[in-house]
Amino acid sequence: MIEIDHVSQTFRTSGRQAHLALSDISLTIEDGAFVSILGPSGCGKSTLLYIVGGFVSPTEGQARVKGRAITGPGPDRGPVFQEFALFPWKTVLGNVMYGPRQQGVKAAEAEAQSRRLIEMVGLKGFENFYPKELSGGMKQRVALARTLAYHPAVLLMDEPFGALDAHTRTRLQNDLLNIWERDRKTVLFVTHSVDEAVFLSDKVVVMTRAPGRIKEIIDIELPRPRRRAELLLDPRYQKYVVEIERMIDDTSEDGLRP
Amino acid sequence: MMARALSHLAPLLACLGLLAIWQAGSLMLNTESFPTAIEAVRAVPLILGDRESVINILDSLRRMAIAFAAALLFAVPLGLMMGRSRLVASFFNPLLMITYPVPKAALMPIIMLWLGVGDLAKMLVIFLGVSLPVIYHSFQGARAVEEKMLWSGAAMGLSAPQRMIRIVLPAALPEILTGCRTGLVLALITMVTSEMIARQSGAGNILFNSLDMGQYDTVYAMIIIIGAMGIGLDAAFEKLRSRLVRWSEPGFDIPLSFA
């Protein structure tokens, strides 16, 4: 369980002014839940993810994982970034093996596991490629495999499909769901796409524009496993999308007020 | 095929062209202090066949190698730390800005007062000449490392020193090696100038002694030898560099089989 307890985050801007990015966020994420954080750009949703990751410390409040205060990054929480952040000097296999090797897994075992993961994300045959030889979608598959390889209990996904074209994006969403259905890790998924949030999540957290506050938490009660083609025709799905889109429109207008 | 063969021959043709212009110029001027290219080239094997001269040249290379290695051991860690810590950067940056434009050979007389005319003074000058570009490029390379790459490493359990060695260093390697290549050329230049000022042994010593004695063919032959050393070292380094950072080169061949 992840608990975010009255977390606020203030940044110093270059003009030495304090900018309130997150204001008094409290949120509890159950084990095995797929939760999306949705909001307009600049609402601090990525910052919230970084706080859970331990990459950024909150100015006020506390985040806890399994009851313990988060003081830094750890292999129990695996990030996947929009920028992929692969190690360009390592091959696909080298990247995926990196985490297990760091955790002390023997080379042969780490390699066998990593090869299975690479196959699972659909990149069999690309083990010896360098990241620069891969397309964006393939890079993100490697990044996902690299993170899954060290068995984090929680996946922290920071707009992971934001830089991909629509087609690739859809395929990766499907594949992510298939992988998630197998072991039901806790996923915290940051996105600005309403469709994506509704399609993937058990719960969507809608945030307001800066300073980021939680506007509403919506439970998505759609059956799993989800098939995109079926969902698109499902009136319940459509209702969620329209409802949340309206909410986002409201929060955007809030932001325009001086 | 023809064009490819020609592009391979081009450097050779350029060298031959330069020698031809030299030869013609020298014949036209016809002064004693400007020997013809043929005379200079003929003196090259005489120098390389002379035991004394070879010892001198090897002495130079030994000093250069030691100073170059010492400079890398000092400059790369410093540059990387500057690139990742604002505090370290703001401390060392002004010092670099002051020392960068100073010609390192100009420091030679002062250094000689402290350390004498022996190996140590010369190696210190080479060390200074090499360090600055290597620090600068390591700094730039480390600064450009993507934050999220370091975060990914931290999540896998890498400590801060491990991230420095296992993420920042390899990620900055292409830039570091660019600095090393500049450093290598500067090492050769400072090597010769240091020997010009503190004559005792070395390639520069042969060059300037023969200049004093009016042996102009030897002077020009030494210039050819030093130039050849530069080309050789640079080519060897480039080979090593492209092997080390193959992963970052823009267009290396993508294997066609997916097996």
Side-chain angles (χ1 to χ4, degrees):
Chain A
M1 192 165 70
I2 301 167
E3 293 157 288
I4 297 165
D5 188 2
H6 296 287
V7 160
S8 295
Q9 180 70 42
T10 315
F11 288 118
R12 298 246 161 246
T13 59
S14 50
R16 302 209 169 260
Q17 276 181 322
H19 168 76
L20 187 63
L22 290 174
S23 172
D24 196 29
I25 304 273
S26 291
L27 180 68
T28 301
I29 295 152
E30 303 295 333
D31 282 341
F34 199 123
V35 177
S36 287
I37 303 177
L38 183 74
S41 52
C43 74
K45 53 191 190 295
S46 289
T47 307
L48 189 60
L49 192 85
Y50 301 158
I51 287 172
V52 176
F55 309 122
V56 171
S57 341
T59 324
E60 278 170 58
Q62 197 184 49
R64 288 184 294 271
V65 62
K66 293 200 192 313
R68 282 216 205 136
I70 293 168
T71 53
D76 55 333
R77 286 151 289 139
V80 177
F81 298 107
Q82 182 176 6
E83 302 89 339
F84 321 125
L86 296 172
F87 304 136
W89 61 93
K90 291 268 178 201
T91 59
V92 169
L93 183 63
N95 268 281
V96 179
M97 278 176 68
Y98 207 97
R101 289 294 287 143
Q102 180 64 26
Q103 304 291 312
V105 177
K106 293 239 163 14
E109 199 187 328
E111 187 181 328
Q113 278 176 21
S114 301
R115 285 184 185 279
R116 276 200 298 277
L117 272 169
I118 292 166
E119 192 175 348
M120 185 173 88
V121 297
L123 287 180
K124 193 174 166 55
F126 292 91
E127 289 85 353
N128 297 322
F129 280 55
Y130 284 96
K132 62 174 288 279
E133 299 169 292
L134 306 176
S135 67
M138 290 160 93
K139 282 183 194 161
Q140 198 56 289
R141 288 168 186 274
V142 178
L144 180 63
R146 181 180 68 168
T147 300
L148 291 172
Y150 53 91
H151 308 296
V154 181
L155 271 183
L156 301 172
M157 308 193 77
D158 180 23
E159 301 199 39
F161 309 141
L164 308 177
D165 63 85
H167 175 68
T168 310
R169 193 183 172 113
T170 308
R171 285 183 52 189
L172 272 146
Q173 286 167 357
N174 288 330
D175 290 355
L176 174 65
L177 269 195
N178 286 335
I179 291 168
W180 180 78
E181 301 278 358
R182 291 187 208 178
D183 56 0
R184 299 260 173 164
K185 280 182 194 303
T186 312
V187 180
L188 197 53
F189 191 101
V190 165
T191 180
H192 58 251
S193 156
V194 178
D195 292 330
E196 184 168 81
V198 175
F199 176 56
L200 296 171
S201 320
D202 298 319
K203 217 180 241 192
V204 176
V205 179
V206 180
M207 290 184 59
T208 61
R209 191 178 283 270
R213 290 197 180 87
I214 293 180
K215 187 183 173 90
E216 193 118 29
I217 300 175
I218 298 125
D219 289 310
I220 306 293
E221 281 155 2
L222 293 169
R224 292 187 188 270
R226 295 178 187 166
R227 298 272 163 269
R228 172 170 298 273
E230 294 163 22
L231 273 189
L232 289 175
L233 295 169
D234 190 325
R236 288 173 298 176
Y237 170 84
Q238 293 158 359
K239 199 168 148 275
Y240 282 125
V241 171
V242 172
E243 186 187 339
I244 294 170
E245 236 153 36
R246 280 206 186 114
M247 247 176 244
I248 299 254
D249 276 350
D250 290 350
T251 72
S252 297
E253 271 161 37
D254 284 349
L256 293 177
R257 267 186 231 138
Chain B
M1 270 317 262
M2 196 55 190
R4 238 181 110 164
L6 210 63
S7 79
H8 270 103
L9 282 174
L12 192 65
L13 290 175
C15 287
L16 286 176
L18 186 68
L19 288 176
I21 294 168
W22 174 0
Q23 182 75 11
S26 146
L27 286 174
M28 266 173 359
L29 282 173
N30 194 24
T31 71
E32 202 196 330
S33 59
F34 190 22
T36 63
I38 291 174
E39 280 166 340
V41 170
R42 235 191 244 147
V44 170
L46 292 179
I47 296 172
L48 295 180
D50 179 42
R51 208 180 126 75
E52 189 74 12
S53 306
V54 171
I55 289 173
N56 266 294
I57 292 171
L58 288 177
D59 241 14
S60 292
L61 287 174
R62 176 180 55 82
R63 278 193 293 269
M64 189 178 122
I66 294 171
F68 186 73
L72 295 198
L73 287 177
F74 162 75
V76 173
L78 177 62
L80 294 183
M81 281 191 282
M82 284 172 66
R84 296 315 309 173
S85 156
R86 202 165 292 187
L87 181 73
V88 179
S90 56
F91 183 81
F92 284 101
N93 234 341
L95 297 178
L96 286 188
M97 296 314 279
I98 294 168
T99 42
Y100 214 154
V102 177
K104 305 306 165 289
L107 298 173
M108 192 66 194
I110 306 168
I111 292 172
M112 274 160 61
L113 288 178
W114 302 337
L115 302 176
V117 293
D119 278 4
L120 212 54
K122 290 172 198 153
M123 289 196 293
L124 182 60
V125 173
I126 300 171
F127 173 88
L128 290 173
V130 176
S131 290
L132 287 161
V134 178
I135 292 174
Y136 179 76
H137 282 275
S138 306
F139 170 45
Q140 295 296 341
R143 206 165 55 163
V145 174
E146 231 185 307
E147 192 81 49
K148 306 228 162 119
M149 213 181 320
L150 294 165
W151 287 3
S152 297
M156 291 175 192
L158 274 85
S159 64
Q162 282 178 324
R163 293 201 291 274
M164 198 68 170
I165 295 166
R166 293 180 49 194
I167 297 180
V168 178
L169 178 65
L173 197 63
E175 186 70 34
I176 294 171
L177 291 179
T178 306
C180 291
R181 197 174 173 189
T182 313
L184 192 63
V185 176
L186 282 173
L188 197 70
I189 295 170
T190 43
M191 177 192 93
V192 175
T193 41
S194 73
E195 290 161 353
M196 175 177 83
I197 298 163
R199 295 218 209 143
Q200 199 192 34
S201 73
N205 181 47
I206 304 174
L207 201 162
F208 295 104
N209 273 347
S210 26
L211 190 67
D212 288 348
M213 292 187 287
Q215 296 165 336
Y216 295 109
D217 53 347
T218 310
V219 172
Y220 281 85
M222 269 318 288
I223 293 174
I224 294 175
I225 291 170
I226 292 167
M229 270 165 28
I231 294 173
L233 285 172
D234 189 63
F237 185 80
E238 181 52 28
K239 203 159 197 172
L240 177 72
R241 192 194 66 84
S242 60
R243 180 176 289 219
L244 283 174
V245 296
R246 208 168 67 95
W247 52 268
S248 77
E249 298 294 297
F252 82 85
D253 292 325
I254 294 173
L256 284 173
S257 86
F258 284 178

